[in-house]
Amino acid sequence: MKVIVITSGKGGVGKTTTSAAFASGLALRGYKTAVIDFDVGLRNLDLIMGCERRVVYDLVNVVNGEARLNQALIKDKHCENLFILPASQTRDKDALTEEGVEKVLEELQHMGFDYVVCDSPAGIERGAVMALTFADEAVVTSNPEVSSVRDSDRILGILQSKSKRARDGGEPVKEHLLITRYSPKRVDEGEMLSYKDVQELLRVPLIGVIPESESVLHASNQGTPAIHLKGTDVAEAYADVVARFLGEERPLRFVNYEKPGLIKRLFGGK
Amino acid sequence: MSASAPVQFRNTTLGATVAVLQATEPPALADALHKMFGGMPDFFNGEAVILDFAALAEVPSSIDWAGLNSLMRRYRLQPIGVFNLPPEHGEGARRAGLAQLDEAVTGNPRQIETPAPARAPEPPAAAPQAPAPSPQPATASTMFIDRPLRSGQQIYARGADLVLVGGVSPGAEVIADGSIHCYGPLRGRAIAGAQGDDRARIITSNFGPELVSIAGVFRTFERGIPETIAGRAAQVRLSGTENTLNIEALQPI
């Protein structure tokens, strides 16, 4: 079993959207996958996954022994192999203990899960540290702007010092950079950092670029992970990310801005 | 004895770090170590350490040798022996595999704190001094950091030069008693000659720091870094009798 943390430092960059899409993508490939919301007190993943009405027990209940893990796991409505472990909305992040989280992960391993995706809260405090402590790999999500890049850099440092792998002095956590909310047009106009700039600043291998898109908002509101939006650039970009994560080669897409031609400009169009 | 014997004995002088303990309870020491090195578990690189008990306030009734050993190992220190151990604990130390080194070492066993001796001027485009980041002998006065140093992290090369193979991000801080060599973008704060060595230098393949300082003479770049050196290989050193900071691009030869 592999544990992957989706983290960023900064809030609002697309961690939960990415967690939902990435976990769904792994499940669509046939892997038994669990996605855990570590944002205790500000839970959102259940909304993005469209299972908010089915939450009975949560991560904190399981950590405290008030519920069994299989009582708290919610089966996803889109994918056969995907399960969601929601966060508690009524507690705070101090309710999480390292031992408790470790126990939950061990139990998931016993249940035969292939991948566990940990949706980290923003910040560098307890919740975020708990989410990355047991990670084997990390997807660091960043928007193409300087404050997001700075915070991603900070969280990479915390991965290097506070993850269990770092503390045990073993093989370091494998890092991936995911750039979200990317607008090739604004990059072209010099208003946004290019993905090359971001990669150069962070010096972490790039796993994908997700274009800025209105369909993400629609998907969130409907409770459908973005990867299920057939035919959209976002869904295809996330599918590419999953493929690259699984070791396949995919060329980078949706990063170049093509100026609209004369006819398009005259007659409009999207 | 022929040279083909499966074991040979030789004398050596071993450099080791000395940990002066004021307490022996692992939890108290763990707290203190966490405060000192929490952000950098790799501060020590498998160095040998000698535990010095001279500063103990009182002799404890028992010492948790296994706990001490594993705590030191967690910080990548390898305990090899003890100094100034109260005699009643000698047996415990022996069973924990630690040698009593009081007689073996003469003079001050403390780690060298004086700045590194003067070096011959280095050619500007010098390759990294050691191509392989293999474990350094404990005597090496160079600290290697192989991964990029991230915002919020801090490294201090005590009594040593600091070589950063992966670069330094904005918001990170690197400090050395000797010189700092950065083979990658240097974008954080770089403080060389921290104990006052005015011959220390900062050399980087990609100049872009927030602050540079040598022997306490510092400079920030509020108005941006001059175009002639920004992003280029550059060297910072003190020059002249007034000790002004001199930053110059390294000319490719």
Side-chain angles (χ1 to χ4, degrees):
Chain A
M1 186 179 82
K2 260 204 181 122
V3 180
I4 304 125
V5 62
I6 313 289
T7 188
S8 72
K10 195 171 185 295
V13 300
K15 286 182 294 297
T16 302
T17 301
T18 298
S19 298
F22 185 70
S24 300
L26 289 170
L28 287 173
R29 292 294 196 100
Y31 295 103
K32 192 174 177 188
T33 306
V35 54
I36 305 179
D37 190 350
F38 275 82
D39 206 346
V40 178
L42 292 168
R43 100 180 171 216
N44 277 156
L45 181 69
D46 52 326
L47 289 171
I48 309 283
M49 302 291 298
C51 64
E52 71 275 14
R53 290 174 191 282
R54 289 190 285 153
V55 176
V56 181
Y57 296 110
D58 55 56
L59 174 62
V60 174
N61 290 135
V62 179
V63 164
N64 291 347
E66 296 152 2
R68 289 198 312 278
L69 182 56
N70 55 16
Q71 288 178 305
L73 284 173
I74 302 171
K75 196 165 177 303
D76 182 54
K77 59 185 180 187
H78 303 282
C79 308
E80 190 67 14
N81 299 317
L82 182 59
F83 294 82
I84 299 122
L85 183 52
S88 171
Q89 184 69 346
T90 51
R91 309 291 187 86
D92 60 34
K93 290 171 178 74
D94 296 332
L96 292 176
T97 61
E98 199 176 309
E99 296 74 30
V101 173
E102 187 166 29
K103 231 178 73 191
V104 169
L105 292 173
E106 275 169 9
E107 215 172 320
L108 287 169
Q109 174 138 35
H110 282 305
M111 292 167 78
F113 278 91
D114 298 303
Y115 290 105
V116 176
V117 177
C118 300
D119 180 22
S120 170
I124 53 172
E125 286 82 22
R126 188 174 185 83
V129 172
M130 281 297 135
L132 62 77
T133 298
F134 297 99
D136 300 304
E137 305 200 22
V139 175
V140 176
T141 312
S142 190
N143 290 165
E145 46 110 7
V146 283
S147 61
S148 174
V149 171
R150 168 72 63 92
D151 291 358
S152 296
D153 194 61
R154 184 85 170 90
I155 207 82
L156 283 162
I158 289 170
L159 264 172
Q160 283 170 23
S161 58
K162 296 204 173 156
S163 64
K164 194 159 186 304
R165 278 174 174 247
R167 288 191 329 227
D168 293 351
E171 181 93 354
V173 176
K174 191 170 175 194
E175 298 158 351
H176 307 277
L177 171 64
L178 179 68
I179 299 172
T180 54
R181 311 193 66 168
Y182 194 75
S183 165
K185 180 167 179 282
R186 296 187 60 192
V187 173
D188 197 61
E189 288 161 359
E191 295 171 9
M192 205 180 239
L193 294 174
S194 77
Y195 73 92
K196 284 179 186 146
D197 293 337
V198 178
Q199 202 193 359
E200 208 267 327
L201 284 165
L202 289 175
R203 286 157 286 144
V204 171
L206 188 67
I207 197 171
V209 177
I210 309 296
E212 170 86 312
S213 165
E214 293 203 356
S215 41
V216 172
L217 188 65
H218 291 304
S220 302
N221 289 338
Q222 288 168 9
T224 308
I227 201 166
H228 294 304
L229 302 171
K230 290 273 171 301
T232 63
D233 48 2
V234 175
E236 290 184 30
Y238 272 121
D240 283 354
V241 169
V242 173
R244 289 188 199 106
F245 180 82
L246 295 171
E248 298 167 22
E249 295 269 339
R250 292 283 172 98
L252 211 50
R253 294 194 278 173
F254 318 116
V255 291
N256 294 320
Y257 176 59
E258 280 168 36
K259 288 208 173 70
L262 179 65
I263 292 174
K264 228 179 184 177
R265 266 188 283 157
L266 283 177
F267 295 100
K270 269 181 117 181
Chain B
M1 186 69 58
S2 72
S4 60
V7 58
Q8 290 181 22
F9 291 96
R10 284 186 201 153
N11 238 329
T12 179
T13 315
L14 182 68
T17 301
V18 176
V20 183
L21 305 180
Q22 294 187 6
T24 58
E25 303 82 25
L29 295 172
D31 281 354
L33 284 169
H34 185 78
K35 265 184 211 148
M36 284 181 194
F37 306 114
M40 28 182 180
D42 295 336
F43 186 86
F44 298 105
N45 191 13
E47 287 170 42
V49 66
I50 300 167
L51 306 176
D52 187 345
F53 294 85
L56 280 189
E58 54 186 273
V59 178
S61 56
S62 70
I63 296 179
D64 179 2
W65 291 106
L68 278 178
N69 257 329
S70 70
L71 177 64
M72 291 294 154
R73 290 219 183 89
R74 217 183 310 150
Y75 283 90
R76 305 197 58 195
L77 282 166
Q78 174 65 54
I80 55 166
V82 294
F83 279 144
N84 305 313
L85 185 68
E88 59 266 41
H89 292 299
E91 176 63 17
R94 199 184 58 75
R95 263 187 276 146
L98 297 174
Q100 303 235 20
L101 294 169
D102 301 77
E103 299 86 23
V105 180
T106 52
N108 186 358
R110 303 275 188 282
Q111 209 190 5
I112 308 147
E113 300 235 339
T114 48
R119 290 164 299 275
E122 285 152 305
Q129 290 163 345
S134 55
Q136 293 296 304
T139 47
S141 60
T142 305
M143 180 190 269
F144 288 94
I145 304 295
D146 290 319
R147 309 194 68 188
L149 204 68
R150 303 294 183 179
S151 179
Q153 291 185 308
Q154 192 189 48
I155 289 286
Y156 177 27
R158 181 187 298 278
D161 284 353
L162 180 56
V163 176
L164 300 137
V165 182
V168 179
S169 290
E173 189 170 66
V174 291
I175 307 167
D177 288 347
S179 295
I180 294 173
H181 310 247
C182 181
Y183 299 93
L186 176 61
R187 297 184 179 128
R189 299 155 66 92
I191 295 158
Q195 302 261 12
D197 180 8
D198 55 12
R199 289 163 309 184
R201 299 183 193 189
I202 298 168
I203 300 172
T204 174
S205 60
N206 183 337
F207 190 83
E210 296 164 329
L211 175 148
V212 288
S213 164
I214 290 174
V217 183
F218 69 89
R219 176 165 170 193
T220 56
F221 300 93
E222 213 171 312
R223 296 207 196 96
I225 293 166
E227 245 177 53
T228 48
I229 45 172
R232 291 163 192 257
Q235 157 165 261
V236 186
R237 56 180 158 175
L238 285 178
S239 62
T241 44
E242 291 105 63
N243 269 357
T244 48
L245 267 190
N246 185 359
I247 307 174
E248 62 204 353
L250 292 175
Q251 302 299 329
I253 298 168

